[in-house]
Amino acid sequence: MAGKLPISVTPLQLLPLKRALQQAEIQPNTLVLSLARTPEREAHYQWLSEVSPYTLWVYKASGRRLALRSPSDLAGKGLRIGVQDGANFHEWLKQRGIGAPPDNTVLDLVPQNELNFRKLQLGRIDLLAQPDVSFHYRVIKQGLRPAAFEP
């Protein structure tokens, strides 16, 4: 629970994740909703509360044959992965050398992950990562069918 402090509220800004994180670094007392809590981010923020626990899934287009059994299978297969720039999944991939030479994986960065759904359906990327709790909402918001994708 947060202590009692004087508070002033400025207008709400909706920013791409990477820009929101940059702004929070330079502007004290900035609230970022919601941000995945990772070991790398732990010391950089004051964490108030868990908002929505989730599991991050990697999705492919339905019917696409990809032999992936574990996260380590993402490397070395020449896959093109749609990733939100600066998101926790992007950081996770970079830490493991996925998408960096000599790995032949390509990380296709976008400012907002919603852009990846249509790219996946059109075959421009092979995979995207999306939290399970918002998957259906995000797909439908893009005017697509959830059945067009599979984890």
Side-chain angles (χ1 to χ4, degrees), residues 78-110:
L79 297 171
R80 189 169 190 89
I81 304 174
V83 181
Q84 182 176 353
D85 192 11
N88 58 323
F89 185 58
H90 182 206
E91 296 302 319
W92 185 88
L93 291 167
K94 287 189 334 186
Q95 287 171 2
R96 285 152 183 80
I98 298 173
D103 182 46
N104 63 352
T105 304
V106 174
L107 301 183
D108 189 322
L109 302 179
V110 294

Side-chain angles (χ1 to χ4, degrees), residues 10 13 22-30:
T10 58
Q13 290 181 301
Q22 289 169 340
Q23 186 168 328
E25 281 182 32
I26 61 172
Q27 188 173 353
N29 302 316
T30 297

Side-chain angles (χ1 to χ4, degrees), residues 12 42 55 58 82 94 96 122 130 139 149:
L12 179 69
E42 187 67 32
T55 302
V58 178
K94 287 189 334 186
R96 285 152 183 80
L122 294 171
Q130 181 67 38
V139 171
F149 308 92

Side-chain angles (χ1 to χ4, degrees), residues 129-150:
Q130 181 67 38
D132 59 343
V133 297
S134 60
F135 173 76
H136 281 79
Y137 167 78
R138 302 250 186 234
V139 171
I140 290 168
K141 186 177 174 188
Q142 295 300 310
L144 303 172
R145 294 178 12 261
F149 308 92
E150 56 187 59

Side-chain angles (χ1 to χ4, degrees), residues 24-92:
E25 281 182 32
I26 61 172
Q27 188 173 353
N29 302 316
T30 297
L31 180 65
V32 178
L33 291 175
S34 76
L35 180 62
R37 192 171 190 167
T38 65
E40 298 76 25
R41 292 176 177 163
E42 187 67 32
H44 297 283
Y45 302 96
Q46 291 180 355
W47 300 93
L48 299 178
S49 180
E50 184 174 80
V51 175
S52 64
Y54 65 85
T55 302
L56 189 67
W57 285 87
V58 178
Y59 291 88
K60 63 180 181 166
S62 290
R64 174 87 195 274
R65 296 176 66 74
L66 287 174
L68 302 173
R69 299 283 180 244
S70 72
S72 62
D73 289 342
L74 295 173
K77 299 227 181 347
L79 297 171
R80 189 169 190 89
I81 304 174
V83 181
Q84 182 176 353
D85 192 11
N88 58 323
F89 185 58
H90 182 206
E91 296 302 319
W92 185 88

